[in-house]
Amino acid sequence: MHILKKRSWEMPEREATPESVFLNRRKILAGLAGTGAIAAFAGTGFVPRAAFAEEDPSSGLYPPERDASYTLDRAVTPEDVTSRYNNFYEFGTDKQVYRAAQKLEIRPWSVTLDGMIDNPQVVDIDTLVNKMPLEERLYRHRCVEAWSMAVPWSGFALSELVKMAGPQSGAKYLRFETFMDPSIASGQKQSWYPWPYVEGLTLEEATNELTFMATGIYGKPLLKQFGAPIRLVTPWKYGFKSIKSVVRISFTDERPVNFWQSLQDQEYGFWANVNPEVPHPRWSQASERLLGTDERRDTLLYNGYAEQVAGLYKDMTGERLFM
Ligand SMILES: Nc1nc2c(c(=O)[nH]1)N[C@H]1C(S)=C(S)[C@@H](COP(=O)(O)O)O[C@H]1N2
Ligand SMILES: [Mo]
């Protein structure tokens, strides 16, 4: 292929994230709220650019300042693409779950911190986001199904939450759990899935600088289909590790068995680090489709984050690090 491509360093920042647009849209929506003007759009065919943005008690916190040390080698994927193409099995097995996901009630919401920690607690989401140092980061995201996106997450380093929890000396793993409510998430009525969705990280992975708890995206609170109000982001791992709508984080000395691993251990494991040279048993992982474009790109080892994370796995033997 001989396609002339813009390199990341040729890409103007404003192209990467048009923050001014988000800011203005927020102001416009805030201005309309309470005037009945939003309701007046009903039936006129007006569709907000983002699927189902809505007022959120934390919206004043966004967008936080961007940490410029995380840069991309590609354009940010447009919000109207990523907000209509999601994996969220609680709401269905296809990618068009954004409508169904609006049933999720994200207030009140709390996250339970428990297990081998000095400070077990149940923390309200608004207390948490007001307490944590919010920032924005541009990250790539590589799904195990060989599509990818690049998005501006807002949130905080998971290491901050680990600090708050105060892990005890025996704690080796974090086990994350998604909400469980089949009355709103019809996918959870399908009893052959091991609900609730569970994921896990080692304590070392959890405190790596890259590991992020996202509470926002595109300069606003997370839309429900992205896993509101809080989801994990581990950009060097396949997307299924990035567990959505987290309600519990338990510190343990036992390696958690994640949702996909308990369904299909031969295809999905604990580590799930991105590696173009290790194919999925049923397809190649060598390249990826960039959502919202007709471009395919070669996939990068650790999804391009080897510098930050390769050291975590340096001395590991006998582990299936790349599935
Ligand atoms: N609870 C929960 N978390 C989840 C999933 C899911 O089905 N349920 N899907 C995962 C997969 S496979 C991917 S690729 C990402 C998709 O995130 P996005 O829809 O925000 O792009 O979420 C991950 N987190
Ligand atoms: Mo995925």
Side-chain angles (χ1 to χ4, degrees):
M1 285 216 301
H2 297 282
I3 298 170
L4 190 63
K5 284 179 201 142
K6 258 194 184 176
R7 301 287 171 196
S8 57
W9 56 89
E10 297 169 340
M11 201 168 70
E13 272 293 283
R14 66 173 180 282
E15 203 172 297
T17 319
E19 252 170 5
S20 55
V21 173
F22 304 141
L23 281 169
N24 287 336
R25 192 155 44 96
R26 271 233 322 277
K27 276 190 203 124
I28 291 163
L29 284 175
L32 292 177
T35 66
I38 289 178
F41 286 125
T44 63
F46 170 83
V47 180
R49 208 173 83 83
F52 303 109
E54 72 179 40
E55 226 18 86
D56 182 294
S58 67
S59 52
L61 299 172
Y62 302 90
E65 204 174 314
R66 179 180 303 163
D67 183 336
S69 51
Y70 301 99
T71 55
L72 295 174
D73 56 354
R74 60 198 69 180
V76 163
T77 314
E79 181 178 0
D80 56 2
V81 174
T82 58
S83 63
R84 291 174 172 80
Y85 188 94
N86 302 93
N87 270 334
F88 205 164
Y89 276 67
E90 284 80 348
F91 294 101
T93 53
D94 65 26
K95 299 290 185 279
Q96 279 68 53
V97 293
Y98 60 91
R99 275 190 209 86
Q102 305 316 308
K103 280 204 198 137
L104 180 59
E105 283 173 18
I106 55 174
R107 292 295 187 287
W109 191 279
S110 57
V111 180
T112 299
L113 304 178
D114 63 8
M116 304 171 77
I117 49 175
D118 288 337
N119 309 310
Q121 59 194 287
V122 178
V123 58
D124 172 70
I125 188 67
D126 293 301
T127 307
L128 186 66
V129 291
N130 278 290
K131 186 158 156 181
M132 290 287 133
L134 296 188
E135 54 177 297
E136 183 178 71
R137 297 186 184 183
L138 301 175
Y139 274 173
R140 290 178 290 274
H141 172 102
R142 171 61 157 79
C143 176
V144 74
E145 300 161 336
W147 56 265
S148 70
M149 61 181 188
V151 296
W153 297 112
S154 303
F156 54 89
L158 177 57
S159 62
E160 296 288 338
L161 195 136
V162 170
K163 223 188 288 169
M164 182 175 125
Q168 295 170 349
S169 61
K172 288 197 176 68
Y173 298 96
L174 276 69
R175 179 186 183 278
F176 300 78
E177 206 175 281
T178 295
F179 74 89
M180 179 73 189
D181 186 351
S183 73
I184 59 148
S186 62
Q188 292 182 330
K189 290 181 181 151
Q190 300 183 318
S191 56
W192 55 92
Y193 288 109
W195 307 112
Y197 199 99
V198 165
E199 260 304 338
L201 295 174
T202 65
L203 185 56
E204 218 191 345
E205 289 176 324
T207 51
N208 182 274
E209 61 155 299
L210 283 181
T211 311
F212 204 61
M213 295 308 295
T215 55
I217 189 170
Y218 297 104
K220 300 173 299 189
L222 282 179
L223 296 178
K224 293 175 180 180
Q225 58 268 43
F226 290 120
I230 184 166
R231 61 94 62 84
L232 178 66
V233 178
T234 50
W236 73 99
K237 293 178 176 287
Y238 290 116
F240 66 83
K241 297 295 292 184
S242 296
I243 181 173
K244 295 180 167 181
S245 305
V246 171
V247 294
R248 175 185 225 107
I249 304 176
S250 307
F251 291 68
T252 158
D253 55 1
E254 262 176 59
R255 184 179 295 183
V257 178
N258 62 47
F259 181 84
W260 286 105
Q261 188 181 7
S262 55
L263 268 171
Q264 192 52 278
D265 180 58
Q266 290 313 302
E267 301 192 355
Y268 307 99
F270 173 76
W271 300 101
N273 297 310
V274 174
N275 187 337
E277 290 178 3
V278 179
H280 183 276
R282 290 182 282 128
W283 61 83
S284 164
Q285 295 290 25
S287 68
E288 63 203 54
R289 179 171 66 88
L290 272 51
L291 281 193
T293 74
D294 42 29
E295 192 185 338
R296 279 200 87 81
R297 282 231 193 160
D298 290 345
T299 289
L300 304 166
L301 180 62
Y302 294 112
N303 201 25
Y305 298 102
E307 193 189 320
Q308 290 94 337
V309 300
L312 292 168
Y313 311 105
K314 189 166 82 260
D315 301 319
M316 285 192 191
T317 51
E319 294 281 350
R320 298 185 301 174
L321 289 173
F322 304 107
M323 63 173 285

